[in-house]
Amino acid sequence: MLPPAPRRPAPGGGLAVLVVVTILAALAAPHAKALRGLVAGDLPTITLPGRPAPPPATRPPAGLTFTNAAGCRPASDYRSPRLDWRVRVLLVAAADRHRIRVSCLRTGHSWYVKGTRRVSNHSLWRAVDVDRVDGRPVSPSNAAARQLAVWIGRGRAGVQPSEVGSPWRFGGRPWFTDRGHQGHLHVGFADPTQVGGVR
């Protein structure tokens, strides 16, 4: 008498076992609470995300305001990712000490330094002009603006500018003064690959 022929597993039987094992493993996983509730008949709660807040780095602090009076549009430039991070760090630190108003970053500023063919750091997103400090226009009589110019030039904001233009003659670099900087503070940063800097 011949032995009985071996029984072949039903087609797809191995796949069914694999599916069952996978589901059991998923239900046992520590992060599978929502899946267990779904299998049990409960629908998970779905919460729609709210509108994301703008990144803190681009939100101006309370002491910082902007004006278009000089023909520039600094408020939109401040939010641009192209703005040199050192300019933003400087403004945040300065606005923590004084109320300051920015009159120019890039948009609206001339491409070259006035009276020269040198490209301005404003054009390269590396400079800022401040026309008011503590509610008063920058001028030779604004003591708060003078203190701020000294503080910035000494790198006290956490970044060291290569140029600080103002109404006052403090001595050597980074400070400078001329007829074009009697009504605002100009702060610029040279590219690390540049020798000196441009205004």
Side-chain angles (χ1 to χ4, degrees):
M1 188 172 182
L2 294 173
R7 293 181 63 187
R8 291 185 179 179
L15 180 61
V17 171
L18 179 62
V19 169
V20 170
V21 169
T22 302
I23 290 174
L24 291 175
L27 291 172
H31 60 275
K33 182 177 180 182
L35 181 59
R36 289 194 293 270
L38 187 60
V39 171
D42 298 331
L43 292 176
T45 303
I46 298 174
T47 305
L48 294 175
R51 187 172 181 175
T58 61
R59 184 184 299 125
L64 177 61
T65 57
F66 305 93
T67 180
N68 295 343
C72 299
R73 294 193 294 278
S76 57
D77 286 348
Y78 183 81
R79 295 189 295 270
S80 172
R82 298 182 67 187
L83 182 63
D84 192 298
W85 66 271
R86 296 169 295 182
V87 173
R88 192 172 284 117
V89 166
L90 169 78
L91 290 175
V92 169
D96 191 47
R97 296 173 59 88
H98 298 275
R99 288 178 292 115
I100 59 174
R101 187 174 79 172
V102 172
S103 57
C104 206
L105 284 168
R106 180 183 185 275
T107 305
H109 195 277
S110 59
W111 184 257
Y112 296 107
V113 177
K114 188 175 181 179
T116 76
R117 300 299 289 175
R118 290 179 292 142
V119 176
S120 169
N121 274 327
H122 284 281
S123 303
L124 303 174
W125 297 90
R126 298 195 308 243
V128 58
D129 289 343
V130 173
D131 73 340
R132 282 184 174 266
V133 177
D134 288 344
R136 295 179 56 214
V138 172
S139 72
S141 64
N142 187 335
R146 187 181 191 280
Q147 292 169 3
L148 182 60
V150 172
W151 185 80
I152 289 172
R154 289 177 175 166
R156 299 292 173 79
V159 287
Q160 180 61 60
S162 60
E163 53 200 40
V164 180
S166 75
W168 305 280
R169 191 175 302 280
F170 295 116
R173 285 293 196 181
W175 297 283
F176 70 91
T177 187
D178 57 27
R179 286 192 301 173
H181 292 84
Q182 297 302 300
H184 68 275
L185 302 181
H186 163 89
V187 184
F189 296 88
D191 187 279
T193 60
Q194 284 182 306
V195 177
V198 294
R199 295 198 289 271

